[in-house]
Amino acid sequence: MISERMFDLGSRRSAIRELFEYGKQAALTVGEENVFDFSLGNPSTPPPEEFTETAMEILRNEPPCAVHGYTSAQGDFATRKSVASDLASRYGAKISPEKIYMTCGAAASLCIAFHALVSSKDDNIVAVAPYFPEYRVFVEGTGAHFRATKPDTVSFGIDFASLSEQIDEHTRAVIVNFPNNPSGALLSSEALASLAALLREKAATFGAPIYLISDEPYREITYETPAPYLPDFYPDTIICYSYSKSLSLPGERIGYVALPDGVSDIDRLYAATCGAGRSLGYVCAPALMQKILAKNASMTSDFSSYRENRDLLYSALTALGYSCVLPQGAFYLFVKAPNGDAVAFSEKAKELNILLVPGDGFGCPGYVRIAYCVDRGRIERSLPAFAKLIRILR
Ligand code: PLP
């Protein structure tokens, strides 16, 4: 016997991966320069030089068995100390290194946080739409129910009426992501204050904490306004972070879960975090990455090319008649499907070798996601195809 659920998950690729694989095949026939692949959020700016130099120095000068050996299950203390001081200098955050758990990227951080909180199959976790599609897989992997709000398609903030409806006595956490994948929106201070008030009210009504999970892999990639620090608004916040995008190294798998001072039941929650990491096999995050972060957890890649891409794509597409909200961060543009059907639009775009991900899997039908973390040439070459596409649809 095998698990039907796992068979099902493993037999179907995500819509994003499906398109990415299609693009690779199409490139073999029409040439890579004629495929406008905007499917995957793979960073296109290199890691900072300091990162590479630090890695080389560690590899050359430190004893190999120490460099590549096991660390503590929850991560090296020096690494956690460095992460805590980065958060303190960035946000004035009060987070003890003893309450940080190093992980293999945000996917692991989220799975650990969900498993640490879910205690019954009646539990649920609510995502604010649009959301990263894997949330559903990760939540359902705990046995709990995945719920989502309706999307707010005016500003891609929070539909509070819908959020209020989704939360009940079985809600263990609400998850938000900003700057948002797929919309690029940031949450305003007003929205965060309202969110905190709603969660406090619900927690009081149901007599148990409702944690806010803040999924922050794009935290440093903002264009006009820096990202807010959620524990300032709502102390029961669990931070799930990844260096995949900020250091441009998604293949190296490094991130963390952080529990700020003031989180309810913090000691037991941290023990449950360690227990979840243990039961999922997410112990001892990649040692070389930890050693690099121990020396400097504050460096980031240069994001100026993302801003240039955003400006170019936003102004060119809106001039052509496409409709979208100007992203404030991350590297995605969320464009309204001109005919209202994102799947049909994405299929039509595919005929012109433009690869766009339908918003349906993000809980927001009617929109497509364009990942503009690509070289500028690809965007420039794609514009005549985007012009042709909107002409066809009209
Ligand atoms: N959360 C969001 C919103 C993401 O966009 C991603 C990856 O693209 C992840 C989590 C997973 O990140 P990681 O690759 O660090 O596991």
Side-chain angles (χ1 to χ4, degrees), residues 16 41-42 103-110 131-135 138 175-182 215-218 240-245 249-251 253-255 331-332 362 369:
I16 301 173
N42 222 352
T103 66
C104 305
S109 304
L110 294 164
Y131 53 80
F132 181 54
E134 293 299 280
Y135 291 167
F138 300 160
I175 177 161
V176 292
N177 159 237
F178 62 88
N180 182 260
N181 173 8
D215 177 27
E216 308 185 353
Y218 304 95
C240 289
Y241 185 75
S242 160
Y243 292 91
S244 294
K245 318 288 172 166
L249 35 83
R253 314 306 300 140
I254 187 78
F331 38 55
Y332 305 107
F362 296 88
R369 187 190 79 170

Side-chain angles (χ1 to χ4, degrees), residues 135-162:
Y135 291 167
R136 176 185 293 279
V137 178
F138 300 160
V139 169
E140 289 177 353
T142 68
H145 300 277
F146 174 79
R147 290 184 176 179
T149 66
K150 287 187 191 137
D152 152 25
T153 51
V154 176
S155 62
F156 295 105
I158 298 173
D159 181 329
F160 283 104
S162 171

Side-chain angles (χ1 to χ4, degrees), residues 65-389:
C65 288
V67 173
H68 302 296
Y70 289 122
T71 66
S72 297
Q74 65 271 49
D76 239 9
F77 193 69
T79 309
R80 293 185 283 142
K81 235 171 110 184
S82 174
V83 168
S85 66
D86 171 51
L87 287 165
S89 64
R90 231 179 251 285
Y91 300 108
K94 292 191 175 53
I95 303 179
S96 154
E98 279 91 0
K99 296 293 183 284
I100 292 175
Y101 189 100
M102 300 306 298
T103 66
C104 305
S109 304
L110 294 164
C111 287
I112 288 174
F114 296 154
H115 274 84
L117 294 175
V118 168
S119 61
S120 147
K121 65 175 181 29
D122 294 329
D123 288 351
N124 66 67
I125 290 180
V126 182
V128 171
Y131 53 80
F132 181 54
E134 293 299 280
Y135 291 167
R136 176 185 293 279
V137 178
F138 300 160
V139 169
E140 289 177 353
T142 68
H145 300 277
F146 174 79
R147 290 184 176 179
T149 66
K150 287 187 191 137
D152 152 25
T153 51
V154 176
S155 62
F156 295 105
I158 298 173
D159 181 329
F160 283 104
S162 171
L163 178 59
S164 180
E165 268 170 28
Q166 292 300 333
I167 298 174
D168 63 16
E169 71 271 30
H170 300 296
T171 302
R172 300 283 75 90
V174 168
I175 177 161
V176 292
N177 159 237
F178 62 88
N180 182 260
N181 173 8
S183 71
L186 270 179
L187 292 172
S188 67
S189 299
E190 296 72 34
L192 289 172
S194 304
L195 175 62
L198 177 67
L199 294 182
R200 273 194 205 100
E201 181 202 311
K202 295 284 186 185
T205 306
F206 300 123
I210 296 177
Y211 293 96
L212 179 60
I213 297 179
S214 182
D215 177 27
E216 308 185 353
Y218 304 95
R219 184 174 72 201
E220 287 83 11
I221 310 177
T222 57
Y223 303 123
E224 278 81 29
T225 320
Y229 180 61
L230 266 54
D232 284 345
F233 294 84
Y234 188 67
D236 273 344
T237 298
I238 300 173
I239 299 172
C240 289
Y241 185 75
S242 160
Y243 292 91
S244 294
K245 318 288 172 166
S246 63
L247 284 176
S248 308
L249 35 83
E252 302 299 348
R253 314 306 300 140
I254 187 78
Y256 58 79
V257 178
L259 306 182
D261 290 3
V263 168
S264 295
D265 212 4
I266 189 165
D267 292 332
R268 282 170 47 79
L269 180 57
Y270 186 71
T273 300
C274 295
R278 181 179 172 193
S279 87
L280 291 164
Y282 289 145
V283 289
C284 185
L288 175 60
M289 294 302 118
Q290 287 198 52
K291 290 208 176 310
I292 297 168
L293 293 173
K295 293 193 186 286
N296 182 356
S298 297
M299 55 190 159
T300 66
S301 298
D302 173 0
F303 306 128
S304 53
S305 62
Y306 297 152
R307 176 198 279 270
E308 285 161 20
N309 286 358
R310 176 199 69 160
D311 292 345
L312 170 64
L313 202 53
Y314 177 81
S315 53
L317 293 191
T318 50
L320 285 171
Y322 291 96
S323 162
C324 53
V325 170
L326 181 71
Q328 296 162 282
F331 38 55
Y332 305 107
L333 197 67
F334 208 40
V335 178
K336 201 166 181 181
N339 50 8
D341 179 341
V343 176
F345 177 51
S346 164
E347 282 303 315
K348 241 320 149 227
K350 215 161 133 189
E351 288 171 19
L352 301 179
N353 290 317
I354 309 175
L355 307 187
L356 311 174
V357 184
D360 302 54
F362 296 88
C364 191
Y367 289 77
V368 292
R369 187 190 79 170
I370 301 181
Y372 58 77
C373 45
V374 298
D375 69 83
R376 195 183 163 86
R378 186 180 304 173
I379 297 178
E380 285 165 349
R381 286 193 306 277
S382 72
L383 295 179
F386 273 111
K388 188 169 172 193
L389 180 61

